[in-house]
Amino acid sequence: MNTTPSSTKPITPGRQAQAVLPVPDNRNSLALVLAGGGAAGNAWQLGLIAGVAEAGIDLSAADLLIGTSSGSTVAAQISSGISPAELYAAILSEPEHRPSSKLRPEQHRPGQHSAATAQAVQYMDWSAGIIAAAQDAADMRRRMGAAALGRDDSDGSLQLRWRSTVAARLPKQDWPLQAVLITAVNAQTGEPEVFDRNSGVELVDAVAASTSNGFGGSYRIGAKRYINGGYRRNENADLAAGHRRVLILSPFAGKSRTPSEWRMDLASQVEELLASGSRVQTVFPAVGAGDVFNASAADPATRQQAARGGYQQGLGLQQLIAEL
């Protein structure tokens, strides 16, 4: 487990980040930040949460859940009333996915063989060009939104299929009473969006918007169009400001595809939280989850290993979390 973000204020196991300012309204509140990470990231987070629960700490009862991309699915799943153990068991009972080699030779990378990975590689190349052309984060969001709008299907069939896929992943489709924030970006304006149960948006649609990468078009809610919440900020941990304790699960280990001066990276978010008075701990995948937190994370064949690795990792986090 790597618990040290790339920051001038690294956090190591057993060390608490010292508060700078008091947070009187949330003296011991816990915010759980669930970042994006594809099929593998979803499974790793669910496995880890189940392992931590087995060790005696129920992270699903956190005062605030913040979900981004596949992390938004995790937030909806663990707040549904279904136990972490049941969610973990469901992953282990999934049919085995055998990757098929559908990469073109020029796309082949070690360990990447599936059609899902091939599409992820194409998406990474497409989005990398947009990021490289942007002047700053706001410009990147506008460009990414415009590019997604240009790929929208005319009959809405892709949207319907994606909504059905997302709905099938959620044990319940009503917003929980628990505080849950789900991030997205308005494709038409480039403005960040944060959904909660008071937003007038159904939970399924909020998760579908947050997980929409834009490569297959934007996700429509009413007259608005949305793309992935990771374009707001990578983990969106800044939304936990005001909470005394912040635990961040980052499948991609705090890495960012954007320039550091844009401050979308995890290290910048941790720095801001520390300055606001929060104690912060980050958790990254351990070796047991597999070397799949790249384009291969989109491959469903990675899920069971990632979940098992997360579960074993979670069993050993009790003291670290208790000391947060």
Side-chain angles (χ1 to χ4, degrees):
M1 178 187 66
N2 185 341
T3 57
T4 306
S6 301
S7 169
T8 56
K9 297 180 180 179
I11 304 168
T12 55
R15 174 187 170 220
Q16 295 179 358
Q18 297 301 310
V20 177
L21 298 173
V23 188
D25 294 334
N26 293 285
R27 291 185 182 275
N28 199 40
S29 61
L30 173 65
L32 178 61
V33 179
L34 304 157
N42 171 272
W44 171 72
Q45 291 180 87
L46 289 174
L48 186 142
I49 291 166
V52 171
E54 180 67 22
I57 298 177
D58 183 9
L59 292 178
S60 68
D63 299 279
L64 173 66
L65 302 176
I66 299 169
T68 295
S69 194
S70 65
S72 71
T73 307
V74 178
Q77 290 169 322
I78 67 173
S79 62
S80 67
I82 307 299
S83 72
E86 291 176 279
L87 293 168
Y88 174 57
I91 297 174
L92 300 186
S93 67
E94 291 173 0
E96 184 178 359
H97 294 271
R98 296 187 178 276
S100 58
S101 182
K102 293 187 178 181
L103 284 174
R104 298 193 304 270
E106 66 272 18
Q107 293 177 317
H108 180 76
R109 300 175 187 175
Q112 297 178 347
H113 305 287
S114 75
T117 299
Q119 185 176 33
V121 170
Q122 294 170 355
Y123 159 68
M124 295 286 281
D125 292 342
W126 171 78
S127 56
I130 297 172
I131 293 170
Q135 297 180 1
D136 53 30
D139 185 41
M140 181 271 294
R141 294 185 194 103
R142 289 190 293 268
R143 288 173 180 266
M144 198 69 69
L149 291 171
R151 301 178 73 93
D152 282 349
D153 60 322
S154 58
D155 62 359
S157 58
L158 291 177
Q159 159 124 357
L160 290 174
R161 285 201 296 272
W162 183 240
R163 192 182 194 281
S164 296
T165 297
V166 170
R169 295 171 178 168
L170 306 187
K172 295 183 180 178
Q173 297 184 15
D174 295 327
W175 284 93
L177 295 178
Q178 183 177 8
V180 176
L181 301 179
I182 293 179
T183 63
V185 170
N186 187 310
Q188 294 150 308
T189 65
E191 291 297 315
E193 185 84 43
V194 180
F195 300 113
D196 64 15
R197 61 190 175 93
N198 298 315
S199 298
V201 170
E202 292 186 21
L203 179 62
V204 173
D205 289 316
V207 174
S210 188
T211 52
S212 174
N213 62 26
F215 186 60
S218 63
Y219 186 82
R220 183 178 68 255
I221 302 177
K224 296 182 179 180
R225 308 288 191 272
Y226 295 96
I227 55 173
N228 196 286
Y231 293 123
R232 180 189 177 276
R233 287 183 94 171
N234 294 149
E235 288 79 11
N236 293 299
D238 58 291
L239 294 174
H243 287 265
R244 186 70 164 184
R245 300 176 296 150
V246 181
L247 179 64
I248 304 169
L249 307 188
S250 178
F252 289 130
K255 298 173 185 176
S256 178
R257 301 170 63 215
T258 59
S260 58
E261 58 267 26
W262 292 5
R263 295 186 63 81
M264 293 183 66
D265 60 294
L266 177 58
S268 296
Q269 296 167 58
V270 169
E271 182 180 348
E272 293 165 12
L273 287 168
L274 293 173
S276 73
S278 297
R279 297 197 300 264
V280 183
Q281 187 58 265
T282 61
V283 181
F284 304 154
V287 175
D291 185 20
V292 297
F293 292 98
N294 43 50
S296 292
D299 190 344
T302 65
R303 285 178 55 77
Q304 293 188 0
Q305 180 179 352
R308 289 190 178 97
Y311 181 79
Q312 292 301 317
Q313 191 174 352
L315 291 173
L317 290 181
Q318 182 182 23
Q319 181 177 352
L320 189 71
I321 295 171
E323 292 177 348
L324 179 62

